[in-house]
Amino acid sequence: DACDCKSPARFLCLAPPAAQAPHSSLVHMFAAVSRAFGAPDSSFVASVGADNSWLLDSAAALGSLRHAEQSNQPLVLLGTAFMFVHLLDTLAQDDLSITLPPDSRVMETGGYKGRSRELPKTELHALITSRLGLPPTAIVCEYGMSELSSQAYSLFTLHSSLPFRFPPWARALVTSPETGREVADGETGLLRI
């Protein structure tokens, strides 16, 4: 479940809808989890530009954030690091802060891909905390898509010694960079998770 609340949380995806980005595995994942776990009014608040860049609809994002704050309905905010930078820059420009309801979550998936200024993760998360009124424990990180063969998710607890938890199907293999095949015991290669 996305949160421990009685009714489903609304999912707000800082990404274009699947119809505009049909080949994006990230958009597909956002759409799948929104359908499976989100409230019916979950939405996407970006579009694809002529150069294939993702353009945040700041007014729609801000409207959804304000609605969550006023209705006290938990919100699950999903986006890439660069889209969070665009959102946070908009909030900073207008000197705005939102207090998202309890049980709200942020899922930040890594990567700037040259689409915004880059921030260290600790600074990005501190800005999310200060501008959206969420404790650091409400921020979940997901890395995968291009970095790994399977995704890894940060844990919700502060008491875990592991920064990420992999799903049960994940395996660590040492592979040959030339062939992509697993190497024999004792041979060197690239670690593939």
Side-chain angles (χ1 to χ4, degrees):
D1 233 345
C3 70
D4 297 326
C5 49
K6 292 179 181 147
S7 61
R10 182 167 191 247
F11 279 53
L12 181 63
C13 303
L14 303 179
Q20 289 185 29
H23 302 294
S24 170
S25 58
L26 181 64
V27 168
H28 173 77
M29 179 186 74
F30 286 175
V33 298
S34 294
R35 277 191 309 273
F37 302 109
D41 60 345
S42 296
S43 62
F44 289 75
V45 290
S47 61
V48 175
D51 62 353
N52 286 324
S53 64
W54 290 6
L55 308 170
L56 179 67
D57 182 341
S58 299
L62 187 55
S64 292
L65 293 170
R66 283 188 173 136
H67 174 73
E69 181 180 45
Q70 292 166 358
S71 69
N72 206 33
Q73 179 187 15
L75 184 73
V76 178
L77 185 58
L78 304 100
T80 60
F82 71 86
M83 290 299 275
F84 275 105
V85 167
H86 294 315
L87 175 64
L88 294 165
D89 285 350
T90 297
L91 292 170
Q93 176 184 341
D94 296 333
D95 197 27
L96 297 173
S97 292
I98 303 288
T99 302
L100 291 177
D103 292 324
S104 293
R105 298 283 186 268
V106 162
M107 186 179 92
E108 175 258 318
T109 183
Y112 289 93
K113 299 165 184 61
R115 297 182 181 181
S116 74
R117 62 191 172 92
E118 294 192 21
L119 299 174
K121 185 171 25 173
T122 53
E123 186 177 338
L124 176 64
H125 289 191
L127 287 170
I128 290 170
T129 296
S130 69
R131 291 287 175 187
L132 299 177
L134 292 175
T137 55
I139 302 172
V140 178
C141 295
E142 183 268 345
Y143 292 91
M145 302 310 174
S146 64
E147 295 86 353
L148 303 170
S149 300
S150 184
Q151 290 77 36
Y153 300 88
S154 65
L155 302 176
F156 282 117
T157 67
L158 293 174
H159 306 292
S160 173
S161 60
L162 299 173
F164 289 93
R165 175 171 289 155
F166 287 90
W169 60 81
R171 301 290 179 264
L173 303 172
V174 179
T175 61
S176 164
E178 290 84 21
T179 67
R181 293 189 185 111
E182 191 171 4
V183 300
D185 284 349
E187 291 185 24
T188 60
L190 300 174
L191 181 60
R192 185 179 82 196
I193 301 176

